Amino acid sequence: MTKPVSICVIGSGYVGLVAAVCFAEMGHSVVCVDNDESRVKTLREGGVPIYEANLPELLKKHRGHGVEFTTELGSAVERSDAIFIAVGTPQGDTGAADLSFVEAVVSEIARAITSYKVIVEKSTVPVYTNEWIRRVMQRYGIDHALFDVVSNPEFLREGTAIVDFLHPDRIVVGAGSERAARLMESIYEPITGGSYYTRTDALLGACSSETPAKLLLTSAQSAEIIKHASNAFLALKISFINAVANLAESVDADVEDIAAGIGLDSRIGHKFLHAGLGYGGSCFPKDVAAFHWVAQQQGLNFELLQEVQRINDAQKDVFFNKVRSALWTLRGKKLAALGLAFKRDTDDIRESPALSVIKRLIEAGASVTAYDPAAMDRAKEVLPPSKQMKYADSAIEAAEDVDAVLILTDWKEFATLDLAELNRAVRFPIVIDGRNLYKPLYMAEQGFTYVSIGRPAVYNAQQGKPRRLIA
Ligand code: NAD
């Protein structure tokens, strides 16, 4: 292995924490900084602040050896060669990314720097942020020879973040200087050279010593755009299939068959062609908006991105109308909500379509009992338990005596429910599935009225097909 690099990761959220433990796993010496004192205390005391597969194991393996946690940014910067900024870049009022956390961190780095450092943008940022970071450093009087700024966007997916980081499709490094590029190459060398994959304790994934991770060197501007364009394209695929789903439904076609037929084309691929409630989470909504804003700043109207957002927003209306059509009126209705996280395998509820649907149903007078395998604690912070909002300890408990069961997150657990037990638990056997986890005919055979996205609804014999759906 190449010489271990001293790395500072600023931010211990979904990206920073994963990056920190993965760099330690590659053999580097990492200090992870956060200004959230309680989070740092949790991490120091052996806690795991987020739900993420393999994270508890890697934290246990490296905490106190390869990775340490601190609130002291200055000293962490001083003793590191590469400083990764992994703080939040939330959506601002105009759609632009709010870069105030990044700016605050850069100011602190400037106050601490005494020797050459590579400052790495890991957070998702608009094009030219590298230039702004340089300017802020210069404003603080830091000699340009003392630092380089590099863009190294992160492509991990929550739920599979650790494996994604150690077995990436690609590593993108946008560097303006040879010196910075060489340091970045040496940081990723264990996975680009393949030595990591020969270790007996290596986490398994798509890469191997024969097919190691690929690193693409670009300019900083190109790297910044690669991240925004990648997320925008994935969001576009989701909105595209949702638009197709609505068409499919109106002509009694099945969007799942259509997606399979489209996805078999190797130029298109089957990933991200899942019709449903639309995308959510802390990345796609804000990154599509920020990319649109970036284009606007350059005098370009990237209208396609607005349409992607419009379709995504409308998809929640589509689902809400399905619930109303199935139940006629909502006031006083009792509903089970299966899922709160924005997608499966995470406790992240930021921009979760599940939460916006639940809020709307409550506003319409329904009461909701929710269950999620990982996200209930976080959800209770934004939707506290009340007369209309309850939380259950299992999917079946949530479904007890309800007028309908709503599937809002694609957890595997919800795709493998004991349907006989579910049928016994509910008052009326109606399932409205925003994630297309079941086959309609199978659900009808199990005695359910089953409404999903982009597929014909099926009705159980007792319920009967209504003559006209009220939208
Ligand atoms: P997060 O909100 O989970 O974590 C950010 C962390 O930064 C928090 O713990 C916060 O306390 C800390 N922080 C904020 N200001 C700080 C400061 N001045 N000093 C020290 N710590 C500070 O965010 P995240 O989901 O990890 O996302 C971070 C960035 O990575 C964003 O730009 C996001 O768009 C991008 N990204 C996220 C994902 C993802 O799946 N979450 C994937 C790829 C890229």
Side-chain angles (χ1 to χ4, degrees):
M1 133 138 203
T2 49
K3 216 169 128 246
V5 178
S6 296
I7 294 175
C8 167
V9 178
I10 305 175
S12 64
Y14 288 87
V15 168
L17 187 53
V18 167
V21 294
C22 288
F23 285 141
E25 172 75 357
M26 290 181 206
H28 301 301
S29 159
V30 185
V31 51
C32 186
V33 184
D34 205 295
N35 62 357
D36 179 338
E37 287 180 10
S38 72
R39 179 170 276 247
V40 171
K41 188 167 178 281
T42 303
L43 284 163
R44 278 186 168 166
E45 289 172 353
V48 186
I50 55 172
Y51 180 94
E52 189 60 55
N54 297 306
L55 182 60
E57 294 80 4
L58 282 199
L59 269 171
K60 193 167 174 219
K61 188 169 168 190
H62 298 295
R63 190 182 344 239
H65 317 289
V67 60
E68 59 178 281
F69 299 98
T70 181
T71 53
E72 301 295 320
L73 189 142
S75 61
V77 165
E78 233 176 17
R79 58 197 159 105
S80 303
D81 296 318
I83 324 291
F84 284 76
I85 301 174
V87 297
T89 49
Q91 188 173 332
D93 297 339
T94 56
D98 174 356
L99 297 176
S100 54
F101 297 120
V102 174
E103 187 181 2
V105 164
V106 174
S107 307
E108 283 194 70
I109 296 172
R111 285 194 284 267
I113 201 168
T114 52
S115 59
Y116 176 78
K117 312 285 176 200
V118 173
I119 300 170
V120 189
E121 305 166 350
K122 196 57 152 161
S123 300
T124 303
V125 290
V127 65
Y128 284 135
T129 300
N130 71 92
E131 193 46 47
W132 275 109
I133 293 177
R134 221 182 304 277
R135 281 190 209 171
V136 172
M137 295 294 286
Q138 279 160 1
R139 230 176 256 164
Y140 278 86
I142 308 301
D143 187 335
H144 63 85
L146 267 189
F147 70 94
D148 277 307
V149 183
V150 166
S151 167
N152 172 219
E154 184 48 56
F155 301 99
L156 63 77
R157 298 159 297 175
E158 288 176 20
T160 52
I162 299 274
V163 171
D164 288 347
F165 200 97
L166 292 167
H167 294 264
D169 288 342
R170 78 297 207 191
I171 298 156
V172 173
V173 171
S177 92
E178 273 294 311
R179 188 178 180 185
R182 295 298 84 81
L183 184 74
M184 293 301 289
E185 282 171 343
S186 69
I187 289 174
Y188 285 107
E189 205 280 332
I191 58 172
T192 53
S195 63
Y196 173 69
Y197 307 116
T198 62
R199 276 173 30 190
T200 51
D201 65 337
L203 270 176
L204 296 179
C207 297
S208 67
S209 53
E210 289 80 41
T211 53
K214 292 185 194 72
L215 188 147
L216 178 70
L217 269 179
T218 68
S219 70
Q221 281 90 312
S222 297
E224 289 163 339
I225 289 184
I226 286 170
K227 175 62 192 178
H228 266 163
S230 299
N231 274 4
F233 189 77
L234 293 171
L236 178 143
K237 269 188 110 174
I238 296 172
S239 280
F240 180 83
I241 200 66
N242 279 332
V244 172
N246 295 331
L247 174 64
E249 208 168 307
S250 67
V251 297
D252 273 348
D254 183 327
V255 75
E256 295 300 325
D257 290 343
I258 296 168
I262 303 171
L264 281 169
D265 186 326
S266 59
R267 293 168 302 177
I268 298 173
H270 62 274
K271 289 185 180 163
F272 281 77
L273 284 183
H274 301 294
L277 277 173
Y279 58 79
S282 68
C283 292
F284 286 3
K286 81 165 170 67
D287 292 347
V288 172
F291 198 31
H292 183 257
W293 180 87
V294 162
Q296 256 181 343
Q297 295 307 296
Q298 300 305 317
L300 304 165
N301 193 0
F302 203 158
E303 279 178 53
L304 179 64
L305 297 179
Q306 278 175 305
E307 188 58 11
V308 167
Q309 287 173 293
R310 192 199 61 73
I311 294 170
N312 197 57
D313 292 342
Q315 208 56 17
K316 291 183 267 286
D317 299 338
V318 167
F319 186 79
F320 180 82
N321 287 335
K322 281 175 188 287
V323 180
R324 226 179 31 182
S325 296
L327 298 176
W328 191 18
T329 63
L330 290 173
R331 187 160 299 282
K333 291 277 159 61
K334 215 177 142 193
L335 305 169
L338 303 189
L340 295 160
F342 84 94
K343 65 169 189 174
R344 70 170 175 229
D345 300 333
T346 180
D347 59 353
D348 199 344
I349 54 159
R350 291 178 285 185
E351 300 292 322
S352 171
L355 291 196
S356 40
V357 165
I358 291 172
K359 280 182 192 156
R360 217 164 141 192
L361 291 167
I362 288 175
E363 274 163 25
S367 65
V368 174
T369 305
Y371 167 70
D372 187 287
M376 294 211 284
D377 288 344
R378 285 186 198 273
K380 281 176 193 170
E381 288 168 21
V382 290
L383 274 176
S386 67
K387 215 165 146 236
Q388 273 180 277
M389 183 69 210
K390 296 196 168 53
Y391 292 87
D393 290 332
S394 71
I396 298 297
E397 189 189 317
E400 211 61 61
D401 205 30
V402 294
D403 294 287
V405 174
L406 316 182
I407 300 179
L408 304 178
T409 307
D410 58 341
W411 283 96
K412 210 169 167 189
E413 180 179 333
F414 300 151
T416 53
L417 292 169
D418 181 334
L419 294 175
E421 206 185 337
L422 185 72
N423 208 330
R424 279 194 296 276
V426 296
R427 186 187 307 163
F428 299 115
I430 302 173
V431 172
I432 305 163
D433 184 356
R435 299 295 179 181
N436 285 1
L437 298 187
Y438 290 94
K439 294 218 180 298
L441 285 179
Y442 176 69
M443 289 302 275
E445 280 162 21
Q446 301 301 310
F448 289 95
T449 285
Y450 179 72
V451 179
S452 56
I453 307 282
R455 302 182 296 179
V458 290
Y459 301 90
N460 82 350
Q462 291 83 24
Q463 176 92 359
K465 179 172 179 170
R467 296 229 174 107
R468 186 168 64 88
L469 290 181
I470 300 158

